[in-house]
Amino acid sequence: MLEFHPISSGARPDVPELEFRTNAGPFTAITGVWQANNEGLVADSELLGDVFACGGITTSSKGTYTGTLRIGTAGAAALVFLANKNLTAGFAANIDSISGCVKLWKLGSGVVLGEYRTTILTQYAYRIAVVFGGGSVSVFFGGGTAPVFNVSGAGGAGEYLGLNAWNGKVVFQDVEYSVSAVLPNPGYNSNAAAPWTPVGGTWAETAVGMRGTTPAGADVFLLSASQTTVSFVYEADLVVGTEGGAAALCFRFTAEADAGYCASIDQRADVVKLWRRADSAVLGTYSTEIGIRLHHLKVVAAGNAIDVYVDDKAEAVVHATDNTRAQDGFAGLNAFNGTAVFQNVYFHGANNN
């Protein structure tokens, strides 16, 4: 549950931001000093009281928000959620080394809504998670699968995520949001059959998901042993980590990854796109800002009919009918022109044998 790491004497601005592993960025400082180093995102709130940084994504009214928090000197660190953009209203779930507790409190008023008494040591990493939806919040601590407390009647103030530090230096790492109101396991979550086979690029499981890295201007693929059937639902959380990049869910693919379909989010063109791998033909697009932030993508296929949904919209944003490719084949992931991270990759109605 606990891991000791010495906190660096100072954050270094020359360390790549990818050292801070998150799918909810980029984080922007509202108050205080925030910089990434090789340990994560470091907040310095010494003599400043509470300081905040706002995440780069907006959320639905439900979801799961997790992170690893480490307090360097006596103080507190928190995950902020269901907040307004300037983080003056909303909720914060924190660890407090002075009071010795995990607690949920309201931004602005400071009213404590729930509390779990436990020793919080400085210089140790603690995993904290909040699952929220329907006016209720469950707080998990230390990697446990049962909440340390639940709160009901907790209506949010907005759709923003954030981070909070108080009274010193704090390190945040592996900060992740999922639209699923189910506590995820640490690491890459998927019900797809192993092994996953790379076709180009570099693929690695990380604490926030499966990361694909490509050469400049290149498409790379990672294929599961799962084979999609005539009708299925395929969904995941995707983050394009590079300007001008793209990330996609692949289905009905050949083992060589030279034919099949891709449903992608394209950061350069700001579109959701359905396209064929064999000839790069575009079957449909939907214009929306992609940015470097999390999107939930879902493919619903029924025979030759293919629907693509984004960010839990009730209606499909792309609909196409195409019979140029067989209705079986492998499911997989695709990254283009940089880095992409995939999390909570799930198949429904797929053949996982």
Side-chain angles (χ1 to χ4, degrees):
M1 180 190 302
L2 305 180
E3 297 179 5
F4 173 79
H5 305 273
I7 284 187
S8 299
S9 58
R12 305 198 309 276
D14 58 328
V15 176
E17 186 175 300
L18 284 179
E19 297 289 353
F20 171 45
R21 298 181 295 272
T22 183
N23 69 357
F27 281 82
T28 302
I30 295 178
T31 51
V33 178
W34 298 76
Q35 289 181 321
N37 70 7
N38 59 348
E39 296 178 297
L41 184 62
V42 180
D44 191 347
S45 60
E46 188 173 3
L47 303 178
L48 297 174
D50 279 301
V51 300
F52 296 89
C54 185
I57 68 172
T58 54
T59 71
S60 67
S61 59
K62 66 180 180 67
T64 302
Y65 191 30
T66 59
T68 299
L69 287 58
R70 187 159 54 90
I71 299 169
T73 53
L79 301 177
V80 175
F81 59 101
L82 293 178
N84 59 359
K85 190 171 185 179
N86 58 6
L87 306 188
T88 57
F91 301 104
N94 78 353
I95 55 173
D96 187 327
S97 67
I98 295 178
S99 299
C101 68
V102 179
K103 67 183 177 184
L104 179 70
W105 55 281
K106 295 185 70 172
L107 301 179
S109 68
V111 172
V112 176
L113 303 175
E115 185 177 82
Y116 170 70
R117 305 294 300 182
T118 186
T119 300
I120 303 294
L121 302 174
T122 60
Q123 302 285 0
Y124 282 79
Y126 294 89
R127 189 72 176 166
I128 192 167
V130 292
V131 176
F132 56 91
S136 66
V137 177
S138 297
V139 178
F140 298 77
F141 173 68
T145 57
V148 292
F149 60 84
N150 299 290
V151 174
S152 60
E159 56 187 3
Y160 288 89
L161 301 172
L163 303 172
N164 160 250
W166 175 73
N167 198 46
K169 187 174 288 185
V170 171
V171 176
F172 299 86
Q173 188 58 280
D174 298 326
V175 175
E176 180 182 4
Y177 169 73
S178 168
V179 295
S180 172
V182 177
L183 183 67
N185 296 317
Y188 174 54
N189 299 305
S190 177
N191 69 347
W196 287 82
T197 303
V199 182
T202 302
W203 294 88
E205 288 192 29
T206 74
V208 296
M210 180 69 74
R211 174 178 284 125
T213 304
T214 87
D219 274 301
V220 301
F221 301 89
L222 184 70
L223 300 183
S224 167
S226 292
Q227 296 194 40
T228 53
T229 52
V230 172
S231 299
F232 63 89
V233 177
Y234 181 20
E235 60 185 326
D237 297 328
L238 291 70
V239 178
V240 177
T242 308
E243 297 283 347
L249 299 180
C250 309
F251 52 99
R252 295 175 176 168
F253 253 57
T254 60
E256 298 77 21
D258 57 2
Y261 299 96
C262 294
S264 68
I265 54 172
D266 187 327
Q267 194 273 341
R268 177 175 53 187
D270 274 336
V271 295
V272 177
K273 178 171 65 175
L274 177 65
W275 55 283
R276 285 197 305 254
R277 167 62 173 160
D279 57 3
S280 298
V282 177
L283 304 179
T285 62
Y286 170 74
S287 296
T288 186
E289 182 181 357
I290 300 300
I292 301 179
R293 60 186 183 88
L294 179 145
H295 294 275
H296 187 75
L297 200 64
K298 181 171 72 173
V299 176
V300 178
N304 294 329
I306 303 170
D307 288 322
V308 181
Y309 298 76
V310 67
D311 295 335
D312 291 330
K313 289 187 179 296
E315 302 293 332
V317 297
V318 175
H319 173 78
T321 302
D322 189 79
N323 61 3
T324 59
R325 170 76 189 124
Q327 293 179 6
D328 59 359
F330 295 97
L333 310 173
N334 159 248
F336 169 75
N337 196 38
T339 63
V341 176
F342 305 81
Q343 184 59 285
N344 303 314
V345 178
Y346 291 109
F347 304 98
H348 311 280
N351 177 6
N352 287 338
N353 297 323

